[in-house]
Amino acid sequence: MRARAAMEAADAAEKAAKGRTASFVPSVASGPATFPLAAVVGQESIKTALLLTAVNPSGVGGVVISGTRGTAKSIMARGLHELCPPIEVVKGSPFNIDPSTGTMQEIDSFLLAELQATGKKLEDLETEIIPTPFVQVPLDVLEDRLLGSVDVEKSVRTGKTVFEPGLLARAHRGVLYVDDLNLLDESISNLLLEALSTGWVSVEREGQSVRHPCRPLLIATFNPEEAELREHLMDRIGICLSADAEPLTQEERLEATQRAVEFSTDPQAFIKKYEEGTSAMKSAITFAREYIKPIKTKRAQMKYLCENAIRAGVQGSRADIYSSEVARANAALNGNEIVDADDLVLAIKLCIAPRGTEIQAPPPPDDQQMQQPPPPPPPPEQEQDQDEDEQEQEQEPEPEQEQDDAAPPIPEEFMFDVEGVALDPEVMKFANKAKSGRSGSRGKIFSDERGRYIKPMLPKGKVKKLAVDATMRTAAPYQNKRRAREMEKTGVDQAGRVFIESADVRSKKMVRKAGSLIIFVVDASGSMALNRMNAAKGAAISLLAEAYQSRDKISLISFQGEFAQVVLPPTRSIAMAKNRLERMPCGGGSPLAHALNMAALTGMNAQKSGDVGEVLVVCISDGRANVPLSVSVGEGPVEGAPPVDKKELKEEVLKTARMLGMLQGFKLLMLDTENKFVSTGVAKEIAAAAQGKYHYIPKASEGAVASVASQAIANMRG
């Protein structure tokens, strides 16, 4: 009866919603047609996850789909929107408030103030049926557009501060789609996750204090080849699956191509062809939203989920909560009244396996141990005793057996063993993490001169870039008063003029990506020439090529004789760097302290330019120093003074290394080339003093040396 009533209500809602399509909702009739979700070939796990999220959007917490280009990520997201039934809202509400919420705490601050002023109740307000909203968050969205801000036009016209709702207000109870989630600005993604985790949006700015609910159905996609997705973003969203985990076969790929061509030729006919499957999915979602209300996950079933999460090495408790909600949604989608074992297995695959940190693939069948032979049959007397016991059990059932029958259904075996090995090979399709992105970790530089505009701020000193939008929003509510005041002074009608005061001015806060500067400090002294100088040169040239490919700047400092010199200033020219490195002379003393000092000065000057964030100092040396810093800077030794002690030289180098390590954004990588038969261990002490990384380069080829150095740099940057 409950499902029938829900279906009748959905049919009535669809009839009432016909012809009422919001401007931000794509329509098949008025705009580009939407590819039906039922017509997507393959990707059964992702389609199931989308349906479960539509059944229980607030509990599941959304779906993240990773995949390379052309894996139907956005098609499936938009196809799910077409399956969502219309919603009933308070008429004229820009926040899609549910009139059946039953509590005054689930409405926005404007409607709450209106009800308190008029004395009305929520059920007394007029309602309307609208299609489920579909809101897409663009990559260049600003904080004002996402959360909402002052409506300049209405504020100027009315003389009062008028709030304009943002994208999250429209997405409440609808579908919120975020494409390329990994490329979204960090501050915007943090605001988005905060609103989704709390279910509320709070705006406290420009004289406004607004609060409204925000519980959308979140669908996010990203391409792992472009950039990595932060771990805490994946943890906050219930299900994260890869579209590359189940590649299409040749037949499936052919079928997908034929369907795409057929859809582009005649969209309406193609949609009608799969109308039956689409209608079945719509009905399943409508029924399941009613079925899920009384379904509960038993304590024993939650214990089973938690045990699997522990065995898989899942951090935190979010996976346990999401898996419980997914199990409830799957039971409702299948029309069951309780959660069964299959629901728990699916929940582990969708929520726990992608978060596992200790999951191992099962061994191949050849490596598996031989199964133990069955136990020998019992003696005849024992068999007779067992037969008598079985007859007694059949005649008098024990109360414990009745309790076992009443226990909630749980799978017979765990999905992972105690060491995290997946007992079901199919689980590995969900446990495989997305491929690492190509782009390395990059810093960011915030400034008020150039970059991408992210938010307005109060100016500090002279304004270099005026934030016109924020300035107008701040000044808009006071225009009527300022025009009247100016008219009293001059006696001239000031209609149409905009008066801006110094307190209204806002400047732009901008951000841009900061490249890294890799400074190669190469020891060209006599001791270094005896210890694989050619291998060090080959490693440096290989690292220079990698730095060029990642668009970082490179610099080269050579030290020999009495001082160090910058052979190559910070540049991106690989040809010039290679030429100068190959022609670098060898021999003489080892002024290591002066070389580290020159690296610090070069890095600090590059950071002041505003284009460099992180500085990596790669020192290729044996760690020996025999020239003091005073000699390198031109002061020279004092006549009659005793020669410099080796301990003092060592302490001078370590002190310089400590100062280098204390500089902001500096990292040291020490590649030790010292012969271990006459080792002093100074290179390792230098790396420890600078809080950097140390690697010993044994006797190896240029390629091996370059591989060690390249991997060390990648680990430091990650």
Side-chain angles (χ1 to χ4, degrees), residues 129-143:
I129 304 295
I130 66 171
T132 299
F134 183 89
V135 178
Q136 181 173 355
V137 179
L139 283 179
D140 56 349
V141 66
L142 298 179
E143 180 181 341

mmCIF file of all heavy atoms in Angstrom, residues 129-143:
data_model
loop_
_atom_site.group_PDB
_atom_site.id
_atom_site.type_symbol
_atom_site.label_atom_id
_atom_site.label_comp_id
_atom_site.label_asym_id
_atom_site.label_seq_id
_atom_site.Cartn_x
_atom_site.Cartn_y
_atom_site.Cartn_z
ATOM 1 N N ILE A 129 4.876 21.845 -7.434
ATOM 2 C CA ILE A 129 5.686 20.713 -7.865
ATOM 3 C C ILE A 129 6.643 21.191 -8.952
ATOM 4 O O ILE A 129 6.215 21.787 -9.943
ATOM 5 C CB ILE A 129 4.824 19.563 -8.395
ATOM 6 C CG1 ILE A 129 3.794 19.134 -7.339
ATOM 7 C CG2 ILE A 129 5.692 18.388 -8.804
ATOM 8 C CD1 ILE A 129 4.396 18.541 -6.104
ATOM 9 N N ILE A 130 7.942 20.919 -8.766
ATOM 10 C CA ILE A 130 8.949 21.315 -9.757
ATOM 11 C C ILE A 130 9.809 20.108 -10.097
ATOM 12 O O ILE A 130 9.911 19.164 -9.305
ATOM 13 C CB ILE A 130 9.841 22.466 -9.242
ATOM 14 C CG1 ILE A 130 10.684 22.000 -8.052
ATOM 15 C CG2 ILE A 130 9.008 23.681 -8.894
ATOM 16 C CD1 ILE A 130 11.737 23.000 -7.624
ATOM 17 N N PRO A 131 10.419 20.077 -11.275
ATOM 18 C CA PRO A 131 11.365 18.988 -11.583
ATOM 19 C C PRO A 131 12.567 19.027 -10.647
ATOM 20 O O PRO A 131 12.916 20.067 -10.092
ATOM 21 C CB PRO A 131 11.782 19.285 -13.031
ATOM 22 C CG PRO A 131 10.735 20.201 -13.569
ATOM 23 C CD PRO A 131 10.229 20.995 -12.414
ATOM 24 N N THR A 132 13.176 17.887 -10.468
ATOM 25 C CA THR A 132 14.363 17.813 -9.625
ATOM 26 C C THR A 132 15.461 18.714 -10.191
ATOM 27 O O THR A 132 15.840 18.568 -11.358
ATOM 28 C CB THR A 132 14.881 16.370 -9.544
ATOM 29 O OG1 THR A 132 13.866 15.553 -8.971
ATOM 30 C CG2 THR A 132 16.136 16.284 -8.690
ATOM 31 N N PRO A 133 15.971 19.656 -9.416
ATOM 32 C CA PRO A 133 17.006 20.566 -9.949
ATOM 33 C C PRO A 133 18.288 19.827 -10.309
ATOM 34 O O PRO A 133 18.635 18.806 -9.707
ATOM 35 C CB PRO A 133 17.238 21.548 -8.796
ATOM 36 C CG PRO A 133 16.050 21.412 -7.915
ATOM 37 C CD PRO A 133 15.583 20.008 -8.043
ATOM 38 N N PHE A 134 18.979 20.342 -11.290
ATOM 39 C CA PHE A 134 20.295 19.845 -11.686
ATOM 40 C C PHE A 134 21.229 21.045 -11.743
ATOM 41 O O PHE A 134 21.048 21.948 -12.565
ATOM 42 C CB PHE A 134 20.242 19.145 -13.047
ATOM 43 C CG PHE A 134 21.554 18.548 -13.465
ATOM 44 C CD1 PHE A 134 21.885 17.254 -13.117
ATOM 45 C CD2 PHE A 134 22.473 19.285 -14.210
ATOM 46 C CE1 PHE A 134 23.093 16.695 -13.503
ATOM 47 C CE2 PHE A 134 23.678 18.739 -14.596
ATOM 48 C CZ PHE A 134 23.992 17.438 -14.240
ATOM 49 N N VAL A 135 22.218 21.071 -10.870
ATOM 50 C CA VAL A 135 23.142 22.203 -10.755
ATOM 51 C C VAL A 135 24.560 21.685 -10.968
ATOM 52 O O VAL A 135 24.993 20.746 -10.296
ATOM 53 C CB VAL A 135 23.027 22.884 -9.382
ATOM 54 C CG1 VAL A 135 24.024 24.029 -9.264
ATOM 55 C CG2 VAL A 135 21.620 23.394 -9.152
ATOM 56 N N GLN A 136 25.267 22.301 -11.894
ATOM 57 C CA GLN A 136 26.663 21.953 -12.148
ATOM 58 C C GLN A 136 27.563 23.066 -11.642
ATOM 59 O O GLN A 136 27.338 24.247 -11.927
ATOM 60 C CB GLN A 136 26.919 21.711 -13.635
ATOM 61 C CG GLN A 136 28.356 21.325 -13.940
ATOM 62 C CD GLN A 136 28.568 20.922 -15.390
ATOM 63 O OE1 GLN A 136 27.609 20.841 -16.148
ATOM 64 N NE2 GLN A 136 29.805 20.666 -15.767
ATOM 65 N N VAL A 137 28.577 22.689 -10.890
ATOM 66 C CA VAL A 137 29.526 23.652 -10.331
ATOM 67 C C VAL A 137 30.670 23.835 -11.330
ATOM 68 O O VAL A 137 31.422 22.891 -11.587
ATOM 69 C CB VAL A 137 30.077 23.170 -8.979
ATOM 70 C CG1 VAL A 137 31.089 24.164 -8.428
ATOM 71 C CG2 VAL A 137 28.941 22.975 -7.983
ATOM 72 N N PRO A 138 30.829 25.021 -11.916
ATOM 73 C CA PRO A 138 31.936 25.235 -12.869
ATOM 74 C C PRO A 138 33.276 25.310 -12.147
ATOM 75 O O PRO A 138 33.350 25.598 -10.951
ATOM 76 C CB PRO A 138 31.576 26.568 -13.532
ATOM 77 C CG PRO A 138 30.703 27.262 -12.540
ATOM 78 C CD PRO A 138 29.964 26.201 -11.791
ATOM 79 N N LEU A 139 34.353 25.057 -12.887
ATOM 80 C CA LEU A 139 35.677 25.051 -12.282
ATOM 81 C C LEU A 139 36.095 26.426 -11.774
ATOM 82 O O LEU A 139 36.798 26.544 -10.780
ATOM 83 C CB LEU A 139 36.711 24.542 -13.299
ATOM 84 C CG LEU A 139 36.744 23.031 -13.536
ATOM 85 C CD1 LEU A 139 37.790 22.688 -14.574
ATOM 86 C CD2 LEU A 139 37.011 22.276 -12.249
ATOM 87 N N ASP A 140 35.673 27.482 -12.471
ATOM 88 C CA ASP A 140 36.097 28.832 -12.099
ATOM 89 C C ASP A 140 35.091 29.527 -11.188
ATOM 90 O O ASP A 140 35.062 30.756 -11.121
ATOM 91 C CB ASP A 140 36.315 29.676 -13.352
ATOM 92 C CG ASP A 140 35.070 29.725 -14.235
ATOM 93 O OD1 ASP A 140 34.134 28.943 -13.987
ATOM 94 O OD2 ASP A 140 35.040 30.536 -15.184
ATOM 95 N N VAL A 141 34.257 28.757 -10.488
ATOM 96 C CA VAL A 141 33.244 29.359 -9.630
ATOM 97 C C VAL A 141 33.920 30.100 -8.478
ATOM 98 O O VAL A 141 34.944 29.671 -7.942
ATOM 99 C CB VAL A 141 32.287 28.274 -9.104
ATOM 100 C CG1 VAL A 141 33.004 27.300 -8.184
ATOM 101 C CG2 VAL A 141 31.094 28.897 -8.387
ATOM 102 N N LEU A 142 33.345 31.235 -8.111
ATOM 103 C CA LEU A 142 33.833 32.008 -6.981
ATOM 104 C C LEU A 142 33.001 31.699 -5.743
ATOM 105 O O LEU A 142 31.907 31.142 -5.824
ATOM 106 C CB LEU A 142 33.781 33.508 -7.284
ATOM 107 C CG LEU A 142 34.640 33.999 -8.449
ATOM 108 C CD1 LEU A 142 34.466 35.501 -8.627
ATOM 109 C CD2 LEU A 142 36.106 33.671 -8.221
ATOM 110 N N GLU A 143 33.531 32.081 -4.601
ATOM 111 C CA GLU A 143 32.837 31.826 -3.342
ATOM 112 C C GLU A 143 31.476 32.509 -3.301
ATOM 113 O O GLU A 143 30.505 31.950 -2.779
ATOM 114 C CB GLU A 143 33.717 32.308 -2.185
ATOM 115 C CG GLU A 143 33.114 32.096 -0.811
ATOM 116 C CD GLU A 143 34.018 32.603 0.288
ATOM 117 O OE1 GLU A 143 35.222 32.773 0.027
ATOM 118 O OE2 GLU A 143 33.523 32.846 1.396
#
